[in-house]
């Protein structure tokens, strides 16, 4: 432990120690004069000079101590490197706690606030990985940590967490295989093209065919732009140049997703972001918001000479990711999600001594008030 002062200038308040000393020197013990008859016949004589001396030393000492403590409180005393070296065992609610080791350890629930194990079992946290990162940040780098988790973790991030220390990662019970991802139904494609120009429709028909099962028809519908969009349309491909009709714009605002040709004009709110790029990072499509919907705009003409990705085997998957992006993984086998190391350790705050110093100040102040107001204070006759 290393004591220090965060605000040494607060020690200038020690100059106030001269105040009670001066007051005690200036103040004399009150004298009570008693008159009696024989004094009238005595001749007045000069009073003897009294030497300079301090009275009520205990009260003076209490006042000096009180001022000194206040000065140190203003200087903000702290202790650095105050570390609890005991192992921390963080348990996810619902897991069986491992047997206690020989060394002393702290057992905490891996929930917000990190309460100590021993009371009622709290509910499982919504995001355990975020709590593991918080625990890593709040503990000193030298503190060993054990985390006990169930076989399956829910509410996890898309990637394994990276911490500043190596955890003892324990999975309660036998290891379980990672849950199989849910099979997403392919989006239903509705294509609208300019009258007499169906050249680009074939690329999207091929993608819909690739999405469909071997024994089923592709979910695909194409027609000229003068045909109304079906009521159940969720994903629209617009291949006509010029301004997009108002009914289509309103459909997008109400939550639809539309892929627009390069020369189609439709409003976009806010900034756009790249959602499809080529091998060297050049954007092929950019997406933006329009009300509650999404507008995806091609940056090149729909022809293999300008967009060779149209004839590549990866085009159907790329199109699906543009129209219906895969959700971030939120459920994973705990054995596959053990944290990595390599993060920079967090600086630990010092221990603030002012709360304890404030308690001492209150006790000394109470003692000073008792000494200053007691009935037994001397009154010299």
């Amino acid at each position: 432990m290393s004591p220090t002062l965060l605000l040494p200038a607060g020690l200038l308040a020690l100059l106030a120690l001269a105040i009670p000393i001066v007051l005690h020197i200036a103040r004399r013990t009150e004298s009570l004069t008693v008159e009696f008859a024989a004094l009238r016949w005595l001749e007045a004589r000069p009073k003897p000079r009294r030497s300079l001396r301090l009275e009520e030393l205990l009260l003076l000492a209490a006042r000096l101590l009180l001022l000194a403590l206040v000065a140190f409180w203003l200087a903000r005393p702290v202790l650095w490197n105050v570390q609890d070296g005991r192992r921390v065992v963080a348990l996810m609610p619902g897991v069986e706690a491992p047997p206690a080791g020989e060394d002393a350890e702290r057992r905490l629930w891996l929930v917000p606030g990190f309460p100590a194990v021993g009371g009622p079992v709290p509910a499982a946290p919504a995001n355990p990985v975020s709590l593991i990162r918080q625990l890593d940040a709040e503990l000193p780098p030298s503190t060993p940590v054990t985390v006990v988790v169930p076989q399956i973790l829910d509410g996890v991030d898309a990637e394994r967490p990276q911490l500043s220390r190596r955890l003892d990662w324990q999975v309660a019970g036998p290891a379980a295989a990672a849950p199989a991802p849910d099979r997403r139904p392919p989006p239903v494609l509705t294509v609208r093209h300019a009258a007499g120009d169906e050249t680009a429709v074939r690329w999207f028909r091929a993608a819909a065919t690739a999405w469909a099962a071997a024994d089923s028809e592709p979910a695909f519908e194409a027609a000229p732009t003068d045909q109304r969009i079906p009521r159940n349309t969720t994903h629209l491909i617009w291949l006509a140049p010029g301004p997009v009709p108002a009914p289509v714009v309103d459909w997008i605002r109400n939550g639809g997703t539309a892929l627009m040709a390069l020369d189609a004009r439709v409003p976009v709110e806010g900034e756009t972001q790249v959602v499809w790029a080529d091998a060297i990072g050049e954007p092929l499509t950019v997406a933006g918001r329009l009300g509650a919907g999404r507008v995806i705009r091609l940056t090149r003409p729909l022809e293999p000479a300008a967009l060779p990705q149209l004839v590549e085997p990866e085009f159907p998957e790329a199109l699906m990711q543009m129209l219906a992006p895969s959700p971030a993984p939120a459920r994973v086998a705990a054995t596959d999600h053990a944290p990595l190391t390599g993060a920079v350790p967090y600086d630990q705050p010092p221990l603030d001594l002012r709360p304890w110093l404030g308690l001492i100040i209150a006790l000394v102040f109470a003692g000073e008030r008792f000494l200053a107001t007691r009935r037994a204070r001397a009154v010299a006759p």
Side-chain angles (χ1 to χ4, degrees):
M1 293 184 294
S2 303
T4 187
L5 300 176
L6 297 183
L7 188 62
L11 294 180
L12 292 176
L14 291 174
L15 297 176
L17 292 176
I19 296 176
I21 297 177
V22 172
L23 292 178
H24 275 251
I25 292 176
R27 180 185 178 277
R28 292 286 183 245
T29 302
E30 297 179 1
S31 299
L32 179 63
T33 302
V34 180
E35 297 284 352
F36 56 94
L39 286 177
R40 292 190 305 170
W41 308 108
L42 296 178
E43 184 179 338
R45 295 182 180 179
K47 294 182 180 180
R49 298 183 62 182
R50 291 184 296 180
S51 60
L52 184 64
R53 62 189 180 90
L54 296 173
E55 299 178 349
E56 299 187 82
L57 295 180
L58 188 59
L59 177 60
L60 175 60
R63 289 171 173 172
L64 293 176
L65 177 60
L66 180 62
L67 290 175
L69 291 174
V70 171
F72 277 102
W73 188 92
L74 294 175
R76 299 183 60 183
V78 296
L79 282 177
W80 291 95
N81 301 324
V82 181
Q83 300 180 359
D84 189 344
R86 294 180 297 167
R87 173 180 293 275
V88 172
V89 179
L91 305 173
M92 277 275 291
V95 302
E96 184 178 355
E102 297 180 357
D103 300 332
E105 60 186 25
R106 290 182 290 164
R107 297 198 165 201
L108 313 173
W109 288 118
L110 194 61
V111 296
F114 304 113
V117 174
V121 178
N127 192 341
V129 175
S130 177
L131 291 171
I132 292 173
R133 292 193 183 101
Q134 180 183 348
L135 185 66
D136 177 59
E138 293 182 357
L139 293 176
S142 60
T143 300
V145 178
T146 297
V147 176
V148 185
V149 295
Q151 301 175 22
I152 300 296
L153 290 178
D154 291 308
V156 299
D157 301 333
E159 59 182 14
R160 293 168 62 184
Q162 190 173 30
L163 308 179
S164 64
R165 76 191 73 221
R166 185 179 299 276
L167 295 180
D168 181 11
W169 185 260
Q170 297 184 10
V171 179
D182 296 334
R183 177 65 178 175
R184 291 184 301 150
V188 178
L189 284 187
T190 299
V191 180
R192 290 294 179 263
H193 57 83
D197 185 7
E198 301 184 22
T199 306
V201 175
R202 53 179 175 169
W203 311 117
F204 300 100
R205 181 181 287 109
T209 303
W211 297 341
D215 54 350
S216 61
E217 292 293 326
F220 183 82
E221 188 262 339
T225 55
D226 57 357
Q227 298 292 322
R228 297 186 61 179
I229 301 175
R231 186 182 300 272
N232 61 347
T233 299
T234 58
H235 299 86
L236 173 66
I237 311 295
W238 189 266
L239 303 178
V244 176
V248 177
V249 174
D250 293 339
W251 173 83
I252 298 174
R253 289 185 185 275
N254 291 329
T257 299
L259 175 63
M260 296 290 171
L262 175 63
D263 45 5
R265 296 199 300 271
V266 64
V268 176
E269 300 171 352
E271 298 182 355
T272 60
Q273 59 180 354
V274 178
V275 293
W276 188 26
D278 60 13
I280 61 175
E282 292 294 327
L284 301 179
T285 59
V286 293
R289 305 300 303 183
L290 180 58
R294 294 174 66 230
V295 175
I296 307 171
R297 186 190 303 276
L298 286 159
T299 61
R300 301 178 186 181
L302 268 169
E303 54 187 33
L307 195 62
Q309 288 80 6
L310 291 173
V311 297
E312 294 180 355
E314 294 80 10
F315 174 67
E317 181 63 26
L319 181 61
M320 180 178 288
Q321 287 297 325
M322 282 188 288
L323 298 177
S326 300
R331 198 163 190 258
V332 68
T335 53
D336 299 330
H337 209 66
L340 305 173
T341 57
V344 178
Y346 294 86
D347 293 332
Q348 300 299 310
L351 176 63
D352 191 356
L353 297 180
R354 287 184 299 173
W356 301 100
L357 199 56
L359 179 60
I360 298 175
I361 290 173
L363 294 176
V364 175
F365 178 74
E368 186 273 339
R369 287 292 83 200
F370 171 77
L371 294 174
T373 57
R374 72 189 191 281
R375 291 186 176 183
R377 292 187 67 183
V379 177

